Amino acid sequence: MSRLTLSLLVLFGAISAVYFFPTSKTHSAVTMSYPTDPYVSLQYNMANTHDLYKLGYKTIMPYLEPEKTPLDDLDNFLGYCRAWASSIVGHHDSEEEVLFPFLNTKLDFSTEIEQHVHVAKGLTDIINYIDAAVVDHSKYAAAELKDMMVSLSGHLFEHLDEEVEDLAPEKLKVFTPEELTKAGKDLMVYIRAHSDKYVTLPYMRCHTPPELKEIWPPFPWIVKRLVVPWILAPKNAGYWKYAPYPVS
């Protein structure tokens, strides 16, 4: 069987699975809908995005107990940890390049920018530690990575919570709906151009709770049901087995 034939069969199977075996929906997923009000959607998207990173942290920490660290699968576990950290870095880069300059035209987001500096230091240390441990497993110690994660958590969680509060709809009324809509589109353009799609999109999908998967992130169905699980996620499939939810 040629590679082209095999690829076509996989594509056909994936599309068939979408139509004949659709993802089951909970009652809440059926009744929920994506907010179209631009004064609401910016905070909604930010809150959901930040929840991905909180859940990733919560998922990683139990594995950093010495007796639970998967030493026989260390590269994949560390890859998952790095995906968590690099996803936050990419998220913050997009804010600093696009969102904060826009918001700062009428609001003051200097606190968030200062918080990014503290968070960036912790994430850089973690990523450098992981990279060194992947090259040489003898440099890995669960207790050391745990200490780094705990040290970061105060600055990280404070920032994640306060930024969402500062995007409350009533605070955004200084902007027009058109300005907010354009800022959201500009942010997505930057993210698509600069993110590692083989990491960012699978990470998002396997940390999105089932009740939100049908409506968030607001991607086309073909991206959620076909591109992410069948094309993007397989490249780092070993990472996502540590995630709390499937990539589909």
Side-chain angles (χ1 to χ4, degrees):
M1 182 182 297
S2 69
R3 181 173 297 180
L4 176 60
T5 301
L6 181 60
S7 299
L8 290 173
L9 286 174
V10 170
L11 178 61
F12 177 76
I15 295 175
S16 298
V18 170
Y19 285 103
F20 297 110
F21 304 98
T23 303
S24 60
K25 300 180 180 180
T26 62
H27 175 72
S28 60
V30 172
T31 58
M32 293 174 66
S33 60
Y34 182 82
T36 56
D37 183 343
Y39 292 106
V40 175
S41 60
L42 183 57
Q43 185 187 50
Y44 176 84
N45 285 326
M46 192 65 69
N48 285 343
T49 300
H50 286 188
D51 284 346
L52 306 178
Y53 308 137
K54 292 179 181 179
L55 182 55
Y57 181 94
K58 182 179 178 181
T59 302
I60 290 168
M61 291 305 288
Y63 289 106
L64 298 182
E65 298 301 325
E67 67 278 7
K68 294 184 179 180
T69 294
L71 295 176
D72 58 344
D73 191 40
L74 192 57
D75 285 351
N76 282 323
F77 172 64
L78 291 176
Y80 171 72
C81 295
R82 196 185 197 287
W84 168 80
S86 65
S87 293
I88 301 175
V89 171
H91 171 67
H92 282 182
D93 286 347
S94 69
E95 291 180 327
E96 292 171 10
E97 291 295 325
V98 179
L99 187 59
F100 289 168
F102 163 74
L103 293 171
N104 274 331
T105 61
K106 297 182 181 181
L107 297 171
D108 182 6
F109 270 71
S110 59
T111 297
E112 280 76 7
I113 294 173
E114 182 178 348
Q115 290 172 337
H116 274 201
V117 174
H118 296 293
V119 173
K121 173 62 168 62
L123 290 172
T124 298
D125 289 344
I126 288 171
I127 289 173
N128 289 341
Y129 183 87
I130 290 171
D131 288 347
V134 168
V135 173
D136 182 356
H137 288 186
S138 69
K139 294 184 177 180
Y140 173 78
E144 291 179 354
L145 184 54
K146 179 180 179 180
D147 286 345
M148 298 172 75
M149 296 282 289
V150 171
S151 178
L152 169 66
S153 63
H155 289 301
L156 177 62
F157 284 101
E158 177 184 43
H159 167 67
L160 295 179
D161 291 339
E162 289 185 2
E163 186 174 275
V164 170
E165 293 174 4
D166 288 341
L167 291 174
E170 61 271 17
K171 296 182 179 181
L172 298 178
K173 293 294 183 179
V174 294
F175 298 103
T176 66
E178 293 76 17
E179 288 173 327
L180 289 172
T181 298
K182 182 179 184 302
K185 290 180 178 178
D186 290 345
L187 187 62
M188 288 306 301
V189 168
Y190 180 91
I191 292 170
R192 285 196 295 267
H194 294 86
S195 64
D196 181 351
K197 61 181 66 70
Y198 291 97
V199 171
T200 301
L201 292 182
Y203 181 89
M204 291 185 75
R205 289 301 287 166
C206 62
H207 291 79
T208 299
E211 64 270 19
L212 287 180
K213 278 186 179 270
E214 293 299 321
I215 64 169
W216 193 88
F219 299 152
W221 73 265
I222 195 169
V223 174
K224 296 179 180 180
R225 300 284 191 85
L226 175 60
V227 175
V228 175
W230 291 88
I231 299 175
L232 302 181
K235 181 177 180 180
N236 300 303
Y239 299 0
W240 315 127
K241 63 187 173 185
Y242 292 100
Y245 305 118
V247 294
S248 59

